[in-house]
């Protein structure tokens, strides 16, 4: 179950090569496995250490479901403002984690992608931006415009010069139809075409 | 009320009050509806269209307005001076860059009744792009109105305890 790492002769100190979290089926306990390499002179010692993790903290109310959102009963209950939830599915540079890592089902993955895009355009994830190369100076100062519920990317949208008559009006879209099924506590339907 | 003098009651009903609205991260349309209601005087039980019972409204931080959707790029403001070849169409972003008060001003102008009293009501609307207000207006203000939209919190505004107490949905 432990990974076999490649031999590395560069350093002379202890280094952790790889780590993984495994859950033992049947017992329900979790172990954190680490492979540590120790080099003293000519001899290289590779150790595999397994530590038990006590998973205290809140447990999912529906542990038998496949998708993490269904496990926590959050389907149709989150929005672009729930940044604490969305930040668990993104990398530090703002990119999404792949579905095989997060374990999300297809529809929920798509909804999370849409919500993350809306949150990034609204400026709710300021630390998850791609790193610019060092010494990069921005020539043009971009205007800081506040926005929220933006469906399309800012650069891809063209102005509506002719909106048309009332029966064939070109509407400006707000939000995303994927959020149509979200739980609403009021009577008003989701107003997408402004 | 029986405990007030007649003159105090008269002052309280017919005085023209000054309201303050903070437009930071708010949609300009919702700000404009609140403004137009108070400029016409429709929030008062003594309202009549000919009676000129509107109040003053001060809107600050109009530079930090937030449009929903892609309206900054899609919404187009058109104008024509009447001379041939002078039809100008400007996107909301360009107009906001030129004049940060124009979007709120045009929104309120369109929401007021289309009569001769509209111009006097617009004179009672005071717009400021930032939260720096002159002394004369600060002394006149009587009430601040609540913001129509709840501003969502960014990830950096959450405390470390809140971020830790939020359960991990999956383990990588």
């Amino acid at each position: 179950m432990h990974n076999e790492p490649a031999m590395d002769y560069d350093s002379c100190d202890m280094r952790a090569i790889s780590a993984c979290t495994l859950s033992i089926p049947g017992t329900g306990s979790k172990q954190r496995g680490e492979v540590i390499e120790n080099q003293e002179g000519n001899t290289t010692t590779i150790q595999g250490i397994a530590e038990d993790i006590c998973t205290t903290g809140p447990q999912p109310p529906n542990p038998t479901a496949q998708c993490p959102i269904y496990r926590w009963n959050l389907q149709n209950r989150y929005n672009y403002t729930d940044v604490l939830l969305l930040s668990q599915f993104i990398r530090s540079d703002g990119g999404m984690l792949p579905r095989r890592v997060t374990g999300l089902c297809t529809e929920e993955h798509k909804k999370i992608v849409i919500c993350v895009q809306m949150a990034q355009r609204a400026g709710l994830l300021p630390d998850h931006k791609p790193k610019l190369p060092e010494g990069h100076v921005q020539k043009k100062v971009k205007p800081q415009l506040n926005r929220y519920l933006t469906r399309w990317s800012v650069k891809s949208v063209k102005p509506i010069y002719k909106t048309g008559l009332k029966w064939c009006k070109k509407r400006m879209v707000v939000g995303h139809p994927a959020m149509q099924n979200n739980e609403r506590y009021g009577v008003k339907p989701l107003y997408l075409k402004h | 009320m029986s405990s007030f003098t007649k003159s105090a009651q008269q002052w309280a009903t017919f005085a023209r009050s000054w309201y303050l609205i903070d437009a930071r991260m708010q949609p300009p349309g919702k700000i404009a509806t609140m403004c137009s209601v108070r400029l016409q005087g429709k929030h008062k039980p003594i309202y009549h269209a000919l009676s000129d019972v509107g109040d003053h409204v001060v809107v600050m931080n109009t530079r930090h307005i937030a449009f929903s959707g892609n309206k900054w790029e899609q919404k187009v403001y058109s104008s024509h001076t009447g001379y041939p070849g002078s039809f100008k169409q400007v996107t909301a972003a360009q107009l906001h860059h030129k004049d940060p008060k124009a979007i709120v001003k045009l929104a309120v102008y369109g929401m007021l009744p289309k009569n001769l009293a509209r111009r006097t009501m617009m004179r009672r609307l005071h717009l400021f792009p930032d939260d720096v207000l002159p002394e004369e207006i600060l002394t006149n203000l009587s009430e601040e109105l609540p913001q129509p939209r709840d501003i969502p919190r960014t990830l950096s505004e959450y405390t470390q305890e809140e971020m830790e107490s939020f359960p991990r949905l999956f383990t990588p």
Side-chain angles (χ1 to χ4, degrees):
Chain A
M1 288 282 267
H2 301 296
N3 300 329
E4 291 287 338
M7 299 288 272
D8 203 343
Y9 297 99
D10 289 333
S11 62
C12 291
D13 48 356
M14 203 156 86
R15 258 188 353 172
I17 304 271
S18 62
C20 58
T21 325
L22 306 159
S23 55
I24 299 171
T27 53
S29 64
K30 280 201 175 176
Q31 283 189 334
R32 182 170 176 79
E34 267 187 20
V35 180
I36 299 172
E37 185 203 339
N38 227 338
Q39 183 153 29
E40 295 134 7
N42 279 338
T43 50
T44 319
T45 328
I46 304 166
Q47 278 180 311
I49 300 172
E51 293 164 5
D52 281 315
I53 309 172
C54 45
T55 47
T56 51
Q59 292 297 310
N62 188 12
T64 49
Q66 296 292 318
C67 173
I69 290 186
Y70 279 85
R71 258 181 262 148
W72 289 87
N73 283 337
L74 289 171
Q75 67 273 27
N76 300 331
R77 283 196 191 145
Y78 59 92
N79 204 358
Y80 77 104
T81 49
D82 303 318
V83 186
L84 290 169
L85 174 76
L86 298 175
S87 59
Q88 293 184 27
F89 296 103
I90 51 176
R91 290 198 297 256
S92 59
D93 66 342
M96 278 288 291
L97 292 170
R99 206 179 303 159
R100 50 190 160 79
V101 168
T102 58
L104 286 164
C105 46
T106 326
E107 309 110 25
E108 293 301 323
H109 178 83
K110 283 183 190 166
K111 280 190 203 170
I112 294 268
V113 166
I114 287 159
C115 286
V116 165
Q117 280 175 348
M118 292 209 283
Q120 281 170 341
R121 285 163 193 155
L124 299 177
L125 299 165
D127 305 319
H128 294 264
K129 294 259 166 85
K131 286 175 200 165
L132 298 168
E134 282 177 18
H136 177 91
V137 179
Q138 277 213 319
K139 293 171 203 172
K140 278 185 198 174
V141 178
K142 286 181 192 174
Q144 290 290 317
L145 296 169
N146 299 327
R147 53 186 81 233
Y148 61 102
L149 288 171
T150 35
R151 193 190 294 187
W152 313 124
S153 106
V154 172
K155 288 182 187 174
S156 70
V157 180
K158 300 277 164 164
I160 301 175
Y161 287 116
K162 292 182 192 175
T163 49
L165 297 163
K166 222 173 188 179
W167 57 274
C168 60
K169 217 161 189 88
K170 265 194 198 171
R171 296 280 174 190
M172 297 176 284
V173 289
V174 168
H176 203 279
M179 303 290 123
Q180 202 73 268
N181 292 328
N182 265 14
E183 264 190 18
R184 268 172 280 117
Y185 297 112
V187 186
K188 289 192 280 189
L190 206 60
Y191 186 33
L192 293 179
K193 294 182 188 172
H194 278 213
Chain B
M1 308 298 271
S2 56
S3 56
F4 304 131
T5 54
K6 290 288 177 194
S7 57
Q9 183 77 54
Q10 190 81 353
W11 270 102
T13 39
F14 293 100
R16 191 169 287 143
S17 19
W18 286 64
Y19 292 99
L20 176 66
I21 299 177
D22 187 0
R24 183 177 281 275
M25 301 297 279
Q26 302 300 311
K30 297 212 168 150
I31 297 285
T33 47
M34 292 164 67
C35 291
S36 79
V37 161
R38 278 156 186 89
L39 286 167
Q40 290 176 68
K42 288 209 150 174
H43 61 298
K44 296 181 177 175
I46 47 158
Y47 168 78
H48 187 86
L50 302 171
S51 299
D52 195 17
V53 287
D55 289 332
H56 289 256
V57 178
V58 177
V59 184
M60 62 180 194
N61 282 325
T62 56
R63 185 171 281 141
H64 305 256
I65 252 171
F67 261 124
S68 56
N70 289 93
K71 289 180 197 167
W72 282 117
E73 293 77 37
Q74 283 183 316
K75 197 168 175 63
V76 160
Y77 289 89
S78 332
S79 61
H80 201 302
T81 59
Y83 289 94
S86 69
F87 182 50
K88 286 210 178 107
Q89 283 187 300
V90 181
T91 57
Q94 291 164 347
L95 183 66
H96 194 70
H97 180 72
K98 248 202 266 179
D99 180 13
K101 306 196 266 185
I103 289 182
V104 180
K105 189 170 175 187
L106 288 167
V108 178
Y109 194 72
M111 292 191 188
L112 291 173
K114 317 289 181 277
N115 53 25
L116 292 171
R118 183 163 57 160
R119 295 268 166 162
T120 37
M121 289 185 232
M122 286 301 286
R123 289 189 63 185
R124 294 195 181 126
L125 173 71
H126 311 274
L127 299 167
F128 295 97
D130 300 304
D131 51 4
V132 176
L133 302 175
E135 274 294 327
E136 304 92 46
I137 291 183
L138 278 174
T139 48
N140 287 340
L141 291 172
S142 62
E143 194 189 328
E144 177 163 7
L145 302 172
Q147 294 192 309
R149 172 195 171 227
D150 296 320
I151 305 174
R153 293 164 74 183
T154 61
L155 193 59
S156 42
E157 281 170 24
Y158 282 98
T159 57
Q160 196 61 33
E161 292 105 26
E162 280 173 321
M163 301 219 298
E164 275 160 24
S165 63
F166 199 83
R168 303 277 119 204
L169 291 196
F170 70 99
T171 42

